[in-house]
Amino acid sequence: MTNSNKTSRSNKHNRIIDAAVDVIAEKGYHLSRISDIAKRAQVADGTIYLYFKSKEAILLAIFEEKMGLLISEVNAALLEESDPCSRLKEFIRQHFIHVEAYPALARVLQVELRQSRQFIREYRPEKLWDYLRIVGDIIQQGQQEGVFRADLDPFILQWSLFGTLDELSVQWILSKKRERFNLEQVVHQVSAVFLSGLVKP
Amino acid sequence: MTNSNKTSRSNKHNRIIDAAVDVIAEKGYHLSRISDIAKRAQVADGTIYLYFKSKEAILLAIFEEKMGLLISEVNAALLEESDPCSRLKEFIRQHFIHVEAYPALARVLQVELRQSRQFIREYRPEKLWDYLRIVGDIIQQGQQEGVFRADLDPFILQWSLFGTLDELSVQWILSKKRERFNLEQVVHQVSAVFLSGLVKP
Amino acid sequence: MTNSNKTSRSNKHNRIIDAAVDVIAEKGYHLSRISDIAKRAQVADGTIYLYFKSKEAILLAIFEEKMGLLISEVNAALLEESDPCSRLKEFIRQHFIHVEAYPALARVLQVELRQSRQFIREYRPEKLWDYLRIVGDIIQQGQQEGVFRADLDPFILQWSLFGTLDELSVQWILSKKRERFNLEQVVHQVSAVFLSGLVKP
Amino acid sequence: MTNSNKTSRSNKHNRIIDAAVDVIAEKGYHLSRISDIAKRAQVADGTIYLYFKSKEAILLAIFEEKMGLLISEVNAALLEESDPCSRLKEFIRQHFIHVEAYPALARVLQVELRQSRQFIREYRPEKLWDYLRIVGDIIQQGQQEGVFRADLDPFILQWSLFGTLDELSVQWILSKKRERFNLEQVVHQVSAVFLSGLVKP
DNA sequence: CATGAATGAGGCTTCATTCAT
DNA sequence: AATGAATGAAGCCTCATTCAT
């Protein structure tokens, strides 16, 4: 998911993106300096501006590109499942699988972008909506199939689940003793609670 | 909860805190200028430094003071309830009541402080743990009373609920058309899902 | 020499002057804050401005008043001596006696005022010239009496001696192990060198 | 001695140092603004910080570099002389030659650094000791060769001479009508006094 | 395309001075 | 006269961005 796109994206573009993810994950967007990112990417400061219009553009690019990759991978995994319960559980699992594989990226996508969402006025985080829509669609599907309770609002539920995943991911990333925080167990418990809450009694 | 403390805290101290909450909620901590806060508090820039050692100290003071008030108010409200289900629902309701009453403060406590948590690693946010512990205690109480499932980890569950409340709060705050987002309904739905998930089948 | 003038000078005026001497001796003029001086003088910051027009005025007052006292005390002591050699040696002794008695004052008069002399354009350090003139007069007296060499320029010599006294004073003040720097011995050696240089072969 | 180093020192480094010498000589360290120095060096304010870590670092660099050059030039000149009297006189001459050639630098080295000595307590000014040691060594050499009186303390004498040179230099620099103050004559008179004082009767 | 030295706008903070009490 | 809270001008320094090579 990191450097693996063999598309037209130049090698240096990706090196900068990946360096930025690492640096921003560590120090936060505002405390990350362009020169830090350049050093980590092993390019000159000025080179960054050949690939990105501004510091903010890097953050947005991280969001667009990485979130895009995440969405397609999650969607691919969901093709395997058909019933709403399995699909929801698989979505939860996929979320944490990616957090575990790319914790720095998860940190940036969840913390920095949350913080930035409201300050970047002109920016519409379409990819975030795409991601959320996966959950919303599963819930609607379940309701249509009569498996999930009809009185729950998919719009609220999708944010609720997203908040849960988000918070647990951040805590897991920050957590020093991650054994306390076995991700497989987290997947299990979150699935249990949300599915109990969703399925018809 | 904002200006209502009848303690010895000077009037100006509170004016600065409240101004900072507003400004930071609007622009984010890093983009908030001391001069912005001073202007909103109607004091000179230098006056801020008679009350706070640094810009960061303001953020910490907001956390300490406002979170402390929140916790005591929530605890007071919980005294009315005794059974775990009612208590959990009341906690959820209280959370959103405060969000609705002080959206700017909620924004700062939830987004800015989370974002800062990295450079507040040394400053352990005790008050945050106090708040979370309220949830954890309710869950444990429910488990001991045999009302809640015993196989769920209170530690994971408290973060899960916290993430849900957090995310929905932020969405509500950011949301332009808040009618879509009736808070009373949110309380109801979140309670429904988590209680279904928690209580023994 | 410090608080001993029972003139019309108010008590607080002197307390401020003395506090300023201590503080400036310790931190230097530019790093001394008015609030430091006020604290040491046990008055409020604003009170200082009832007695002095500005921070700079305090420095000038120190110079004027303390240098005036020094000059009159040195002159008084010199009344005892009549021949140029004894008078010069007594002058040297007096200088170091005062340095030893009031090291903080010596520090201010020698270091801070030297530094300030050129930046305070409108200020004429008359008192400094008065002090130097004592030396100049002794030398001229010696030359007129035929005791001192006539080819030496009193103007140059007075600065030379002043520089010697100044530097040795500062070194003595800064010196941690002052035993290395017995002032009586310094008086003796400086007198020996300058008198050997001055008296006719 | 100013711009003449053909070493690897970048051109801009030297331009800043030289500009700083001029500005600080004129206004004093504390009243010199980084922007003043930058303007005189014809660089942007920020450029200063590519070459020096802080304002104080500039002062220290001036001391280190310029004093180093001074010492080596003085030492080179002293190679010509062998007997203590000639060497001492040559040292005195060299001091004033440099003062005349680089009055701004002399001002900074003598007044500003003396004034800073307090907050440079931790930074032991080795170079100053090196310079003084030249005098001390000459005196000891003279004593060992039986030319100078043995009862004089080289430690005291070196400070005495240094104070004389220092003070006369400053006076010459500050003096408006420098004709009054012919440096060659100063060299002559100072040499006369100190040599008379030093050589055995 | 790549570099990295240079720029300069702007922020946090200090502190001499004022003034209402 | 005395206080000390308040002021606000101004300085050091950082860092995103540019541009000559």
Side-chain angles (χ1 to χ4, degrees):
Chain A
M1 192 170 136
T2 42
N3 255 345
S4 61
N5 53 355
K6 309 140 196 94
T7 71
S8 60
R9 281 303 187 203
S10 92
N11 177 40
K12 228 160 239 180
H13 173 103
N14 286 330
R15 254 167 58 202
I16 293 168
I17 288 269
D18 291 338
V21 167
D22 287 347
V23 172
I24 295 174
E26 196 178 310
K27 320 172 75 153
Y29 174 73
H30 279 102
L31 297 180
S32 298
R33 282 169 297 149
I34 286 287
S35 59
D36 294 333
I37 296 171
K39 198 173 296 167
R40 176 101 49 147
Q42 293 182 307
V43 298
D45 293 20
T47 304
I48 296 211
Y49 289 85
L50 298 174
Y51 294 89
F52 299 93
K53 184 173 120 292
S54 66
K55 189 183 171 189
E56 190 176 73
I58 301 175
L59 192 61
L60 297 186
I62 291 173
F63 195 44
E64 284 296 311
E65 297 178 22
K66 297 300 187 184
M67 202 77 184
L69 287 171
L70 172 63
I71 288 169
S72 47
E73 293 188 12
V74 170
N75 273 329
L78 287 179
L79 288 178
E80 313 276 311
E81 311 291 336
S82 57
D83 83 289
C85 290
S86 314
R87 282 171 66 81
L88 194 69
K89 185 160 185 184
E90 183 58 22
F91 177 84
I92 294 168
R93 183 196 316 282
Q94 283 295 320
H95 184 93
F96 286 111
I97 283 174
H98 283 92
V99 167
E100 192 162 26
Y102 311 106
L105 178 59
R107 175 97 187 44
V108 174
L109 290 181
Q110 294 178 356
V111 179
E112 299 308 323
L113 281 163
R114 163 186 295 226
Q115 215 260 345
S116 304
R117 259 184 274 163
Q118 79 180 291
F119 305 122
I120 310 177
R121 297 292 182 194
E122 63 278 23
Y123 178 68
R124 298 288 84 200
E126 281 305 327
K127 288 288 192 295
L128 178 63
W129 289 99
D130 291 347
Y131 192 62
L132 279 161
R133 206 160 11 239
I134 299 175
V135 184
D137 288 351
I138 293 173
I139 294 173
Q140 283 185 314
Q141 177 201 0
Q143 290 177 326
Q144 280 156 16
E145 294 183 6
V147 185
F148 290 170
R149 293 166 55 173
D151 62 333
L152 296 177
D153 181 346
F155 185 77
I156 294 176
L157 262 287
Q158 77 188 7
W159 281 117
S160 170
L161 178 59
F162 183 69
T164 281
L165 300 183
D166 201 17
E167 187 67 52
L168 282 166
S169 303
V170 170
Q171 292 310 318
W172 181 81
I173 291 167
L174 294 183
S175 158
K176 302 285 187 277
K177 39 180 174 47
R178 293 188 180 167
E179 62 281 5
R180 170 78 195 260
F181 238 139
N182 178 274
L183 279 186
E184 195 52 46
Q185 192 202 355
V186 171
V187 170
H188 198 72
Q189 302 233 339
V190 171
S191 304
V193 171
F194 275 81
L195 285 176
S196 302
L198 278 164
V199 298
K200 280 189 173 165
Chain B
M1 193 169 131
T2 41
N3 254 343
S4 62
N5 52 356
K6 323 99 190 143
T7 72
S8 62
R9 278 286 182 229
S10 96
N11 177 41
K12 228 155 242 178
H13 173 103
N14 288 329
R15 251 166 61 200
I16 293 167
I17 287 268
D18 291 340
V21 167
D22 287 348
V23 172
I24 295 175
E26 193 178 311
K27 320 175 75 157
Y29 175 73
H30 278 104
L31 296 179
S32 298
R33 305 294 149 223
I34 286 287
S35 56
D36 296 332
I37 296 171
K39 200 170 296 168
R40 176 104 46 150
Q42 291 182 307
V43 297
D45 292 20
T47 303
I48 302 244
Y49 290 87
L50 297 177
Y51 295 89
F52 301 92
K53 174 171 128 293
S54 66
K55 189 185 169 188
E56 192 186 346
I58 301 175
L59 195 61
L60 298 186
I62 291 173
F63 189 59
E64 281 294 310
E65 298 177 21
K66 298 301 187 183
M67 202 75 184
L69 287 171
L70 171 63
I71 288 169
S72 47
E73 293 187 11
V74 170
N75 273 329
L78 287 179
L79 287 178
E80 313 276 311
E81 311 292 336
S82 56
D83 83 290
C85 292
S86 315
R87 283 170 68 79
L88 194 70
K89 184 159 186 186
E90 182 59 23
F91 177 84
I92 294 168
R93 183 198 315 284
Q94 283 295 320
H95 184 92
F96 286 110
I97 283 174
H98 283 93
V99 167
E100 192 162 26
Y102 311 106
L105 178 58
R107 175 85 188 49
V108 175
L109 291 180
Q110 294 178 357
V111 179
E112 297 311 320
L113 282 162
R114 160 181 307 214
Q115 200 255 356
S116 304
R117 225 174 286 167
Q118 62 189 4
F119 80 93
I120 299 185
R121 282 250 173 83
E122 69 277 16
Y123 167 80
R124 283 279 76 195
E126 274 307 321
K127 289 283 193 300
L128 181 62
W129 289 101
D130 291 347
Y131 192 62
L132 278 162
R133 210 168 0 246
I134 299 175
V135 183
D137 288 350
I138 293 173
I139 295 173
Q140 283 185 316
Q141 178 201 359
Q143 289 177 327
Q144 279 158 16
E145 296 182 6
V147 184
F148 290 170
R149 293 166 55 173
D151 63 332
L152 296 178
D153 181 346
F155 186 77
I156 293 176
L157 261 286
Q158 79 188 3
W159 281 117
S160 169
L161 178 57
F162 184 70
T164 280
L165 300 182
D166 206 15
E167 188 66 49
L168 282 166
S169 303
V170 170
Q171 289 313 315
W172 181 80
I173 292 166
L174 294 183
S175 150
K176 302 285 184 282
K177 39 185 169 72
R178 293 188 180 166
E179 61 283 4
R180 170 78 197 261
F181 237 141
N182 177 273
L183 279 187
E184 195 52 46
Q185 192 202 356
V186 170
V187 171
H188 198 73
Q189 303 234 339
V190 171
S191 304
V193 170
F194 275 83
L195 285 176
S196 303
L198 277 164
V199 298
K200 279 191 173 162
Chain C
M1 191 170 135
T2 41
N3 255 344
S4 62
N5 54 357
K6 313 140 195 91
T7 71
S8 61
R9 279 305 185 205
S10 91
N11 177 42
K12 228 159 237 181
H13 173 104
N14 286 329
R15 254 166 58 200
I16 293 167
I17 289 269
D18 291 340
V21 167
D22 287 348
V23 172
I24 296 174
E26 195 178 309
K27 319 174 73 153
Y29 174 72
H30 279 102
L31 297 181
S32 298
R33 284 170 294 148
I34 287 286
S35 59
D36 294 333
I37 296 171
K39 197 173 297 170
R40 176 100 51 148
Q42 292 181 308
V43 298
D45 292 19
T47 304
I48 296 210
Y49 289 86
L50 298 175
Y51 294 89
F52 300 93
K53 184 172 120 290
S54 67
K55 189 183 171 188
E56 190 176 71
I58 301 175
L59 193 62
L60 298 185
I62 291 173
F63 195 45
E64 284 295 311
E65 297 177 23
K66 297 301 187 183
M67 202 75 184
L69 288 170
L70 172 64
I71 288 170
S72 48
E73 292 186 14
V74 170
N75 274 330
L78 286 180
L79 287 179
E80 313 276 313
E81 312 290 338
S82 57
D83 84 288
C85 290
S86 313
R87 283 171 67 79
L88 194 69
K89 185 159 185 184
E90 183 59 23
F91 177 84
I92 294 168
R93 183 196 316 284
Q94 284 295 320
H95 184 92
F96 286 111
I97 283 175
H98 284 92
V99 167
E100 193 163 24
Y102 310 106
L105 179 58
R107 175 96 187 45
V108 175
L109 291 181
Q110 294 177 354
V111 178
E112 299 308 322
L113 281 162
R114 163 185 296 224
Q115 215 259 346
S116 303
R117 261 184 271 162
Q118 78 180 293
F119 305 122
I120 310 178
R121 296 291 183 193
E122 64 277 21
Y123 178 68
R124 298 291 82 199
E126 281 306 326
K127 288 289 192 293
L128 179 62
W129 289 99
D130 292 347
Y131 191 63
L132 279 162
R133 206 161 12 239
I134 300 175
V135 183
D137 288 350
I138 293 172
I139 295 173
Q140 283 184 316
Q141 178 201 1
Q143 288 177 327
Q144 278 158 16
E145 293 181 6
V147 184
F148 289 170
R149 293 164 56 171
D151 62 332
L152 296 178
D153 181 347
F155 185 78
I156 293 176
L157 262 287
Q158 75 188 7
W159 280 116
S160 170
L161 179 58
F162 183 70
T164 281
L165 301 182
D166 202 17
E167 187 67 51
L168 283 165
S169 303
V170 170
Q171 291 309 318
W172 181 81
I173 291 166
L174 293 184
S175 159
K176 303 285 185 278
K177 41 183 169 93
R178 293 188 179 167
E179 61 283 4
R180 170 78 195 257
F181 239 140
N182 178 274
L183 279 187
E184 195 53 45
Q185 192 202 356
V186 170
V187 171
H188 198 72
Q189 301 233 339
V190 170
S191 303
V193 170
F194 274 83
L195 285 175
S196 302
L198 277 164
V199 299
K200 280 189 172 163
Chain D
M1 192 167 132
T2 40
N3 254 346
S4 64
N5 52 358
K6 323 101 193 142
T7 71
S8 61
R9 277 285 183 233
S10 95
N11 178 41
K12 228 157 239 177
H13 173 104
N14 288 328
R15 252 166 61 200
I16 293 167
I17 287 268
D18 292 340
V21 167
D22 287 347
V23 172
I24 295 174
E26 193 180 308
K27 320 174 76 156
Y29 174 73
H30 278 103
L31 296 179
S32 298
R33 307 288 149 228
I34 286 287
S35 57
D36 296 333
I37 296 172
K39 200 171 295 169
R40 177 104 45 150
Q42 292 182 307
V43 298
D45 293 20
T47 304
I48 304 246
Y49 291 87
L50 296 177
Y51 295 89
F52 301 93
K53 177 172 125 294
S54 66
K55 190 183 170 190
E56 191 185 349
I58 301 176
L59 195 61
L60 298 185
I62 291 173
F63 190 60
E64 281 294 309
E65 296 177 23
K66 298 302 187 181
M67 201 79 184
L69 288 170
L70 173 63
I71 288 170
S72 48
E73 292 187 11
V74 170
N75 273 329
L78 287 179
L79 288 178
E80 313 277 312
E81 312 291 337
S82 55
D83 82 288
C85 292
S86 314
R87 283 170 66 79
L88 195 69
K89 186 160 182 183
E90 183 60 22
F91 178 84
I92 294 168
R93 184 198 315 284
Q94 284 294 321
H95 184 93
F96 286 111
I97 284 175
H98 283 93
V99 167
E100 194 163 24
Y102 310 106
L105 179 57
R107 173 92 190 42
V108 174
L109 291 180
Q110 294 178 355
V111 178
E112 297 311 320
L113 281 163
R114 161 178 309 216
Q115 201 256 357
S116 304
R117 225 173 287 168
Q118 62 189 5
F119 79 92
I120 298 186
R121 282 250 174 82
E122 70 277 16
Y123 167 79
R124 284 280 72 196
E126 274 309 319
K127 289 284 193 301
L128 181 62
W129 289 100
D130 291 347
Y131 191 64
L132 279 162
R133 207 162 10 240
I134 299 175
V135 183
D137 288 351
I138 294 173
I139 294 173
Q140 283 185 315
Q141 177 201 3
Q143 288 177 328
Q144 279 158 16
E145 294 182 6
V147 184
F148 289 171
R149 293 166 55 173
D151 62 331
L152 295 178
D153 181 346
F155 186 77
I156 293 177
L157 261 286
Q158 76 187 4
W159 280 117
S160 170
L161 179 57
F162 184 71
T164 280
L165 301 182
D166 206 14
E167 187 67 49
L168 282 164
S169 303
V170 170
Q171 290 311 316
W172 180 82
I173 292 166
L174 293 184
S175 150
K176 303 285 183 283
K177 39 185 168 69
R178 292 185 182 170
E179 61 283 3
R180 172 77 197 262
F181 237 139
N182 177 275
L183 279 187
E184 195 52 45
Q185 192 202 355
V186 170
V187 171
H188 199 72
Q189 301 233 339
V190 171
S191 303
V193 170
F194 273 83
L195 285 176
S196 302
L198 277 165
V199 298
K200 280 190 173 163

